[in-house]
Amino acid sequence: MNRLATSWVLTAAFALGACNQNSAPGNDKEAKLDPALAPAQKMGAAEALSGIATGAIQPETMSDADVASLGGLAGKCTIRLTAVGFPSFLYDESQRTGVIKLNGKLIPLASVDEGVFRDGDLKVTLRAVDKDFGDDGRREAEMIIMLPQAEDELGFRGYEVCPRT
């Protein structure tokens, strides 16, 4: 093998060596090696989204620490972007409150109408795609996010999971 080919193979091997490293919440990690994540900071929408380009904002998944800091899942519904993923939006119908994780912050929202939550100029609307919940306790749903000063809304389809009554 010539020097150029050997150099290319070594470069590719080093580049691919770190491909199995993923620190996103919910990925398997060894508890003995990795400390538990601290919950994200809670703050209002205006402060959490200040100075951020609206095109760069996407809903984020909440870690176990985030959910625990919000009082856990008992009695609350969640919107999950994948069938088995962690929640990106959590709401309590009886308290008429919701929380979304954007820009690494947990943003509390007040329910202003059925399926509509707001904090200032940030608005989240939830719409059921399926009429009924399946045997697994979830149904398809849409989460529409209108960010402050954004021209367009952001739409996401995922799963709504609610406690069985």
Side-chain angles (χ1 to χ4, degrees):
M1 201 184 285
N2 67 30
R3 276 190 171 179
L4 182 58
T6 302
S7 174
W8 186 86
V9 169
L10 288 175
T11 302
F14 284 121
L16 294 174
C19 285
N20 66 350
Q21 303 297 316
N22 190 339
S23 60
N27 287 301
D28 294 332
K29 297 174 120 187
E30 292 186 44
K32 294 177 189 171
L33 301 177
D34 296 321
L37 296 172
Q41 189 177 3
K42 294 176 203 154
M43 62 178 58
E47 185 180 4
L49 303 175
S50 175
I52 302 298
T54 57
I57 299 293
Q58 298 287 318
E60 299 171 35
T61 56
M62 296 179 191
S63 67
D64 286 333
D66 294 334
V67 172
S69 75
L70 299 171
L73 294 176
K76 297 175 182 136
C77 296
T78 61
I79 299 293
R80 300 163 189 256
L81 299 181
T82 63
V84 295
F86 286 92
S88 294
F89 188 81
L90 185 141
Y91 68 98
D92 186 331
E93 290 178 329
S94 65
Q95 300 293 316
R96 299 188 48 81
T97 59
V99 178
I100 191 166
K101 188 171 183 181
L102 297 171
N103 194 30
K105 311 291 188 282
L106 296 171
I107 303 172
L109 305 159
S111 176
V112 295
D113 199 359
E114 186 174 339
V116 181
F117 300 83
R118 183 182 285 273
D119 179 32
D121 291 334
L122 172 64
K123 178 178 156 187
V124 176
T125 303
L126 306 178
R127 292 188 201 144
V129 174
D130 291 334
K131 181 180 176 187
D132 298 314
F133 285 89
D135 292 339
D136 57 2
R138 65 180 183 221
R139 68 177 172 188
E140 280 193 68
E142 295 176 331
M143 178 171 58
I144 297 100
I145 302 171
M146 190 63 189
L147 296 163
Q149 286 113 31
E151 294 181 19
D152 298 314
E153 59 190 21
L154 303 173
F156 301 89
R157 189 170 271 199
Y159 299 90
E160 183 177 24
V161 179
C162 288
R164 296 183 189 242
T165 55

